[in-house]
Amino acid sequence: MNREHAVAKAGTPALGSLVAFVLLTLLAVTVAVRGGGTLVGDRDLLEWSLAHRPDLAVTLARMVTHTGTGFVPYVLAALAGHLLGRTARQRIQAAAACLVCLVAAQAVRFSVMALLSRPRPATAHWATDAGHWSFPSGHTTTSAITAGLLVLAVRRRAPRGRYLLVAAVGCWGVLVGLTRVYLGVHWFSDVVGGWLFAVWWLGLAAYGVTRFAPDAWAEVPRGEGTLRPAAMPSPAIPGPETEVRFIRGKVVIASESDCGAPPPSVVLPGVECQVRAAEADRIPLPPERDVSQR
C-alpha cells in the first residue's frame, strides 16, 4: 500500500464513522427526549437477567465485566500498539498512539454521560458495583475500543490463525457489554450506545491516520511478514545476457555469467543453462595491416 492508496482508503473508515455517529446521535436524542427513561427492550432484558442468575453465571459475568475497566484495557491497548510496530521506535509510537486513542475516548464519553445524565437501573437489581451515569456504558465503550485495536493488530501481524484470534477478541468485546445488562447495572440501550460510540471513535481515529499519516499504513501484508513498498523487489526483465531458470517451482532470472550445471534436485529435467556466445566472438580476427607503407 503506497501513500496514494492509503489516502484513497481513508474514505472507508470515514463512512463507517459517520454512520455510527448518526445512529449514536439519534439514540442519544431519543434518550434525552424520554428524560433518561427506558427504551424498547430495556426492561424486558433486565427482567430476563433477574430471572436467570445462578451463582456460577454471576461469578463468571463479574470476572468478564471486570476486564472492561481498570488497567486491563490499557495494557491490551499498549499490546496492540506493540504488535503494530515493526521496529522498537515504531512499537513505542504505536503503543502511545493506542493509549492516547483510548484516553481521549474516555474524556469524550464522560462528557456525553454528564450531558445526558441518564440514571441507571435501580440499585436493588445490581449484582456488581457501578458508578457515574448510565449512557453510554463505560465498560462497553472501553472494551469495544480496545477490542478494535487488538483486531487491527492481529489482522496485520498474525496471518496464521488470525481469524480465530479475531473471533476471540471480538467475543470478549461483546461479552463485556452484555454482562453489564446481565448484572443489572446498565440498560441494553446503554450498551448499544457504547458499541456505537466505539465504532464512531475507531473510525474517526482510522480516518485521521490514513488521511494525515498514510506512511504509517504503507505496509503490505505478505505471508508471515510484511514488505514496505521501497523494499519490494522490482521484477527483473530478461535481456540478452540473462536466462530463465525454474528452480524449486519458481522462475528465477539469472545472468549468463552465473550459468552453471545446477544440481538435478533443484532443476526440472530438460532445462539446461545455455551459454549464448556470438559466433564472431569465437573467430579470431586477422591482424591489422599497416597500409602506410603502400
Side-chain angles (χ1 to χ4, degrees):
M1 183 189 303
N2 54 24
R3 184 183 181 90
E4 292 76 11
H5 191 195
V7 173
K9 291 189 66 175
T12 302
L15 179 60
S17 178
L18 179 60
V19 173
F21 178 77
V22 171
L23 294 177
L24 176 63
T25 302
L26 292 175
L27 183 59
V29 169
T30 304
V31 171
V33 170
R34 296 181 64 88
T38 59
L39 304 182
V40 178
D42 283 344
R43 292 194 176 276
D44 294 336
L45 288 174
L46 178 60
E47 292 175 359
W48 182 91
S49 300
L50 294 174
H52 300 82
R53 279 186 179 177
D55 293 338
L56 179 59
V58 171
T59 301
L60 292 177
R62 287 173 178 169
M63 293 174 59
V64 173
T65 202
H66 288 330
T67 62
T69 188
F71 71 92
V72 175
Y74 294 93
V75 171
L76 294 178
L79 175 62
H82 177 80
L83 294 175
L84 285 172
R86 290 178 58 85
T87 65
R89 181 178 180 180
Q90 290 176 354
R91 289 168 183 165
I92 294 175
Q93 292 176 344
C98 290
L99 290 175
V100 168
C101 175
L102 189 56
V103 171
Q106 299 288 25
V108 177
R109 179 184 62 82
F110 272 116
S111 300
V112 176
M113 291 179 67
L115 180 64
L116 295 177
S117 301
R118 187 185 193 185
R120 294 177 181 268
T123 55
H125 303 323
W126 292 10
T128 188
D129 297 332
H132 304 292
W133 301 106
S134 187
F135 184 91
S137 169
H139 285 64
T140 302
T141 303
T142 304
S143 60
I145 293 176
T146 305
L149 296 174
L150 282 173
V151 165
L152 177 62
V154 169
R155 285 179 60 87
R156 294 178 67 86
R157 289 290 178 261
R160 293 183 178 180
R162 61 180 178 181
Y163 296 108
L164 182 60
L165 291 174
V166 166
V169 172
C171 288
W172 168 73
V174 172
L175 285 176
V176 171
L178 294 179
T179 57
R180 305 306 289 170
V181 180
Y182 184 75
L183 296 174
V185 293
H186 274 292
W187 306 109
F188 181 67
S189 54
D190 298 333
V191 174
V192 174
W195 288 335
L196 290 175
F197 186 100
V199 174
W200 164 59
W201 191 259
L202 288 172
L204 187 64
Y207 170 77
V209 173
T210 55
R211 181 65 180 84
F212 301 105
D215 291 340
W217 297 78
E219 294 181 353
V220 182
R222 182 177 178 179
E224 298 182 358
T226 56
L227 290 178
R228 293 184 178 276
M232 295 182 65
S234 58
I237 302 177
E241 297 183 358
T242 59
E243 70 172 54
V244 179
R245 294 180 183 177
F246 296 89
I247 301 177
R248 297 182 182 178
K250 299 181 179 180
V251 178
V252 179
I253 307 299
S255 62
E256 186 173 301
S257 60
D258 296 332
C259 293
S265 60
V266 297
V267 180
L268 296 178
V271 179
E272 299 179 356
C273 182
Q274 302 294 334
V275 178
R276 296 183 302 274
E279 188 68 20
D281 293 339
R282 297 203 302 245
I283 301 176
L285 295 176
E288 297 182 357
R289 298 179 179 179
D290 188 1
V291 297
S292 62
Q293 299 179 357
R294 291 185 180 180

